[in-house]
Amino acid sequence: MTRLAALLMWRTLALACLGLGLAGMVLPVLPTVPFLLVAAWSGSKGWPQLERWLLEHPRHGPAIRRWRDHRAVPRRAKWAASATMVLSVAAVVLSPVPMTVKAAVVLFLSAVATWLWRRPDT
């Protein structure tokens, strides 16, 4: 892979994640910060100006830096994510999808919640 192709790949990933993060600011079912974390990470590989802008952002920069420095997730975010997961599980369990899908969703979101609550708060 040429240097230019790699640069374009990292920038494309950064822009896609930035776009999804921006959409997450207005769509309640789409998370914002995880996409911004990936945008900053991929920006560090091929777009240092974007990475710097994200790290210095007044609202989202602290969350990105907190994750990079401590792999920490604020307790408020953990509760919000957990509430969303519980609502998602309820919606799937009450829907007419096959039992295997229901079980898979419950198991997957249980694993995600376990991982999330094992992260430090600060």
Side-chain angles (χ1 to χ4, degrees):
M1 177 180 300
T2 67
R3 180 164 162 66
L4 178 60
L7 183 69
L8 288 174
M9 180 190 71
W10 290 119
R11 287 187 175 200
T12 301
L13 179 60
L15 278 178
C17 289
L18 182 61
L20 289 168
L22 291 173
M25 290 179 190
V26 294
L27 298 173
V29 296
L30 194 62
T32 299
V33 174
F35 288 114
L36 295 181
L37 290 173
V38 175
W41 171 75
S42 57
S44 74
K45 308 287 186 194
W47 203 345
Q49 300 89 339
L50 177 66
E51 177 195 26
R52 189 175 328 103
W53 179 75
L54 287 168
L55 290 171
E56 295 172 358
H57 191 276
R59 179 171 178 160
H60 299 292
I64 296 168
R65 289 190 306 273
R66 185 181 313 111
W67 177 256
R68 281 190 171 180
D69 295 343
H70 308 287
R71 296 293 192 248
V73 179
R75 189 168 296 246
R76 182 175 176 199
K78 290 177 184 181
W79 281 110
S82 296
T84 303
M85 286 186 269
V86 167
L87 291 175
S88 297
V89 164
V92 169
V93 167
L94 295 174
S95 71
V97 298
M99 186 59 75
T100 55
V101 172
K102 293 177 183 184
V105 169
V106 169
L107 288 172
F108 177 74
L109 290 181
S110 296
V112 170
T114 300
W115 175 86
L116 180 65
W117 281 95
R118 291 177 55 88
R119 303 294 98 212
D121 293 337
T122 57

